[in-house]
Amino acid sequence: MRLRRARLLALAALGALSVAGGVEAQGFGQRGGAAGEFDFYVLALSWSPGFCRLDGGNDRNREQCSDGANLGFVVHGLWPQYERGYPSDCGPAGRSPSRIALEEAKGVYPTEGLARYEWRKHGTCSGSSPSDYFRDARRARDKVAVPPALAKPQREQNWTAIDLERAFAAANPGLRTDMMSVSCKRGVLQEVRICLTRDLRNFRSCPEVDRSGCRSREFSVPAPQ
């Protein structure tokens, strides 16, 4: 009886090691990962006026942050995600989308440079071609309706994270507050991150993403210019 129990314990320990090894091999965490192996997508919608106020003061972002750009929510990225962590940089070093593929990104990302970067870091983990990945980013963006209060705001506003999440939920049937998070920095709105199924047909819960939201009690939402 003791011998049998010892054998069972040994097998259990071996199984635990196998599971842990499998998790590591699949690239759970923030680096590595195999293309096409992920659980769901996160659509990150950046609030352009907030980004430009905090991080847009350089030549790279001149197109996005110039006077008269009048941009509100723009696509930051479509990110393959694990239940815990995310894969990144899954493609061969130096792999770059073609000019034809980048045509699919026009009107989705605020700049071509961002589209290239997002393909390298996140798109290569999707298992899709660059053209299909950019088309998926457009599909995901078109699925999400912006709340009326932020569609064309004329002045700076103040929001709390939960109120902004509720506004998005009200504007999008099937979307709940546990299916998204709001990101802020130094008291300014950065972006809204919304979780979608792999086929982009439905919203889905994402506890880790939900928990990563803004900690500020209230933040400002600058108006587009």
Side-chain angles (χ1 to χ4, degrees):
M1 188 72 176
R2 289 181 179 176
L3 181 61
R4 182 183 178 187
R5 178 177 175 81
R7 185 179 180 184
L8 288 173
L9 289 172
L11 287 172
L14 181 61
L17 286 173
S18 298
V19 170
V23 167
E24 186 175 351
Q26 292 177 33
F28 282 76
Q30 296 182 357
R31 302 298 298 176
E37 293 185 2
F38 62 97
D39 298 313
F40 62 98
Y41 276 116
V42 170
L43 173 66
L45 295 174
S46 174
W47 182 246
S48 192
F51 164 77
C52 293
R53 176 178 291 186
L54 294 169
D55 304 306
N58 58 55
D59 290 340
R60 284 184 311 168
N61 306 309
R62 184 177 298 169
E63 181 181 352
Q64 180 179 356
C65 299
S66 62
D67 290 340
N70 200 34
L71 296 175
F73 280 109
V74 296
V75 173
H76 176 178
L78 181 66
W79 304 337
Q81 196 87 8
Y82 299 129
E83 296 295 346
R84 292 188 176 183
Y86 58 89
S88 66
D89 302 286
C90 300
R95 185 178 179 185
S96 181
S98 68
R99 176 54 54 188
I100 293 175
L102 287 169
E103 287 296 315
E104 298 289 345
K106 282 187 175 180
V108 179
Y109 300 87
T111 65
E112 183 180 296
L114 178 59
R116 289 180 180 275
Y117 173 82
E118 288 295 312
W119 163 252
R120 287 195 301 270
K121 184 170 183 180
H122 299 287
T124 54
C125 299
S126 67
S128 300
S129 69
S131 293
D132 286 341
Y133 173 72
F134 292 139
R135 279 193 286 266
D136 282 343
R138 187 185 299 274
R139 284 177 55 214
R141 182 203 63 184
D142 291 348
K143 183 176 178 60
V144 176
V146 173
L150 291 175
K152 293 183 179 180
Q154 300 299 311
R155 58 179 178 80
E156 186 161 323
Q157 304 175 27
N158 290 321
W159 286 77
T160 64
I162 188 60
D163 284 342
L164 186 54
E165 288 180 359
R166 287 170 177 165
F168 266 89
N172 293 275
L175 180 62
R176 305 193 310 266
T177 58
D178 65 330
M179 300 173 172
M180 68 182 108
S181 68
V182 173
S183 174
C184 65
K185 181 179 179 182
R186 301 198 299 272
V188 177
L189 174 64
Q190 281 192 303
E191 61 189 25
V192 175
R193 298 167 182 169
I194 296 174
C195 301
L196 296 154
T197 54
R198 283 181 55 120
D199 60 10
L200 302 176
R201 292 181 179 177
N202 300 294
F203 304 112
R204 57 102 79 191
S205 62
C206 44
E208 185 177 66
V209 175
D210 183 36
R211 290 193 299 267
S212 69
C214 180
R215 304 282 183 197
S216 298
R217 182 177 178 181
E218 190 175 80
F219 49 80
S220 64
V221 182
Q225 297 180 357

